[in-house]
Amino acid sequence: LDIGTGTGRMTELLAARASHVVAVDNSPEMLRLARAKFANSGNERLADPEQVALQLGDFNALPLDDASIDFAILHQVLHFAQMPEQVVAEVARVLAPGGRVLIIDFAPHDLEELRDKHAHARLGFADDSMARWFHDGGLIPSDTRSLEGNVLSVRLWTAHKPPLPAPNI
């Protein structure tokens, strides 16, 4: 699941390793661009709607069933959320037991111009906030990494949903 797919770059990367990719975005225009890009890519897998499903949807209410996804990614998307904890809870809802999530976004920063010029609702995220949101959604944090930049640093947070317990027989 590629949440906030935009023009589909993460979907392109995921499609090579997944049996099926669902790419969700709340912009019909972005989905149109992704669809055209995939159709002209020369990659039959990307152009096949059985392999890659592009869906209109909001990250606050994903158009997917509970526990239906094995892997979800939010790449530079969460900073647009007014209530990021709700988005993380929604991701947790659609993750199947044993499913994993990768969130890539900015570390805390003070570049206020990103709010005005690029509609960022949040100026990055602290590790403790992400850990709390994972916990509240029933997810177990796995790893956190940092990609340091001159002005902005990017963080990668991973978590997984615990597998179902083995049945007592």
Side-chain angles (χ1 to χ4, degrees):
L1 171 62
D2 180 8
I3 301 168
T5 193
T7 61
R9 181 62 183 136
M10 292 297 109
T11 295
E12 287 179 287
L13 297 173
L14 293 172
R17 305 186 89 190
S19 60
H20 181 74
V21 178
V22 177
V24 175
D25 203 285
N26 69 347
S27 167
E29 179 64 14
M30 285 290 115
L31 291 173
R32 186 189 68 71
L33 290 171
R35 192 170 285 111
K37 177 180 173 181
F38 296 165
N40 296 316
S41 70
N43 183 333
E44 290 179 19
R45 212 171 150 71
L46 284 174
D48 181 354
E50 295 296 318
Q51 299 295 315
V52 175
L54 295 168
Q55 291 189 312
L56 186 64
D58 188 289
F59 56 25
N60 290 298
L62 293 166
L64 300 161
D65 293 335
D66 293 356
S68 61
I69 297 296
D70 293 324
F71 176 77
I73 185 170
L74 292 100
H75 180 257
Q76 295 294 345
V77 173
L78 198 58
H79 58 256
F80 292 111
Q82 293 296 323
M83 296 182 4
E85 65 279 8
Q86 181 177 324
V87 176
V88 173
E90 184 64 359
V91 171
R93 178 188 70 78
V94 301
L95 277 181
R100 297 171 296 138
V101 60
L102 168 61
I103 298 176
I104 304 166
D105 219 305
F106 296 117
H109 62 84
D110 59 1
L111 297 176
E112 285 290 335
E113 63 267 21
L114 292 179
R115 290 186 199 273
D116 299 328
K117 291 182 182 176
H118 301 287
H120 289 202
R122 300 291 175 147
L123 298 179
F125 300 98
D127 293 341
D128 61 338
S129 295
M130 197 64 67
R132 184 175 60 256
W133 299 335
F134 283 155
H135 180 267
D136 291 350
L139 302 175
I140 299 169
S142 307
D143 193 17
T144 302
R145 296 186 186 203
S146 186
L147 304 172
E148 299 299 326
N150 291 334
V151 178
L152 289 172
S153 292
V154 172
R155 302 288 279 168
L156 292 83
W157 297 275
T158 59
H160 67 277
K161 187 177 253 188
L164 293 175
N168 273 342
I169 296 180

